[in-house]
Amino acid sequence: LARLLPGLAVLGADERICALTRRLAHGEELLFGAIHVRCLLTPGHTSGHMSYFLWEEDSPDPPALFSGDALSVAGCGWRLEDTAQQMYQSLTDILGSLPPETKVFCGHEHTLSNLEFAQKVEPCNDHVRTKLAWAQEREEEDVPTVPSTLGEELLYNPFLRVEEGPVRQFTGQTAPAQVLEVLCRERAKFQHMSEPPQPQARALLALQWGLLSALRQK
């Protein structure tokens, strides 16, 4: 896009993006017509991950969160960089404090497998059971499961429920960041067991890790 449109402005928080024209700061607000955009730095998946909270003054529509890989329906992105503590702060202190009616638009749709893992973590959670049945119906009908709302996520997303007793019991930890660390590890194991990666996927993952490692060394 930058080559096709030389004057295109590319805004973001990760300086490793070669086409970046302006680095955004956490809490910075942009205005596009009547739409306000608050930039929220949410490291964890990657160190420069930025999420965007949008709202319009005097609008009956609820605000929206474009969460990218930081938060998905019933899950979150894999922790590729940074610490579990930083990821916990991104999910709980930053995203988890937004209005409960906020619509969550994530970058990927892994709702069904996320909810299957959530049921493993909290088998007695009725909200997980109900949402899983709903997602299965949506899957059969080949229709999207996005968006959800933040209020709903707080009821069934284990990565936002790290201080709940059943989630702590599943991980064997009590400190929120440690609970999150175990959840991320167990989610990866669950993914590998339920959906073994194809050779192309393994090669892509290896390439991603190689690039990230090289960038960190620089």
Side-chain angles (χ1 to χ4, degrees), residues 23-49:
R23 186 176 184 181
L24 298 171
H26 175 68
E28 182 176 351
E29 292 193 4
L30 309 172
L31 187 63
F32 295 91
I35 300 175
H36 297 261
V37 180
R38 182 178 300 151
C39 306
L40 302 173
L41 186 62
T42 46
H45 178 67
T46 60
S47 59
H49 190 286

Side-chain angles (χ1 to χ4, degrees), residues 25-218:
H26 175 68
E28 182 176 351
E29 292 193 4
L30 309 172
L31 187 63
F32 295 91
I35 300 175
H36 297 261
V37 180
R38 182 178 300 151
C39 306
L40 302 173
L41 186 62
T42 46
H45 178 67
T46 60
S47 59
H49 190 286
M50 186 72 82
S51 301
Y52 300 94
F53 178 65
L54 286 70
W55 76 96
E56 187 175 352
E57 298 290 354
D58 302 321
S59 172
D61 297 322
L65 171 68
F66 287 84
S67 57
D69 290 321
L71 178 68
S72 57
V73 180
C76 68
W78 287 22
R79 186 173 67 81
L80 299 180
E81 300 176 334
D82 299 308
T83 66
Q85 179 63 35
Q86 288 172 307
M87 192 175 198
Y88 167 72
Q89 291 171 338
S90 294
L91 290 171
T92 303
D93 296 342
I94 298 176
L95 301 184
S97 63
L98 296 174
E101 67 272 18
T102 301
K103 289 186 176 181
V104 178
F105 293 89
C106 49
H108 301 280
E109 183 162 343
H110 301 302
T111 304
L112 195 56
S113 60
N114 285 345
L115 285 164
E116 289 171 346
F117 176 69
Q119 189 172 57
K120 180 180 179 181
V121 176
E122 292 189 274
C124 296
N125 187 325
D126 290 336
H127 299 290
V128 173
R129 188 179 301 110
T130 300
K131 189 71 173 181
L132 176 57
W134 174 84
Q136 289 168 336
E137 291 180 2
R138 303 284 284 187
E139 177 81 6
E140 292 172 0
E141 297 170 358
D142 195 26
V143 292
T145 60
V146 179
S148 62
T149 69
L150 184 60
E152 292 173 346
E153 293 298 319
L154 293 169
L155 296 175
Y156 54 65
N157 190 328
F159 298 92
L160 292 178
R161 295 173 54 79
V162 294
E163 297 188 37
E164 299 295 327
V167 181
R168 288 181 171 183
Q169 184 177 2
F170 173 81
T171 62
Q173 302 291 333
T174 55
Q178 293 175 348
V179 173
L180 185 59
E181 179 78 37
V182 175
L183 282 177
C184 290
R185 187 165 62 244
E186 292 300 316
R187 179 66 178 89
K189 291 180 183 177
F190 181 83
Q191 183 78 14
H192 290 312
M193 291 177 61
S194 59
E195 301 175 15
Q198 299 300 314
Q200 297 91 337
R202 288 197 295 268
L204 180 59
L205 186 61
L207 177 62
Q208 289 174 335
W209 274 105
L211 290 173
L212 288 171
S213 299
L215 288 168
R216 280 196 291 266
Q217 290 172 1
K218 290 181 182 179

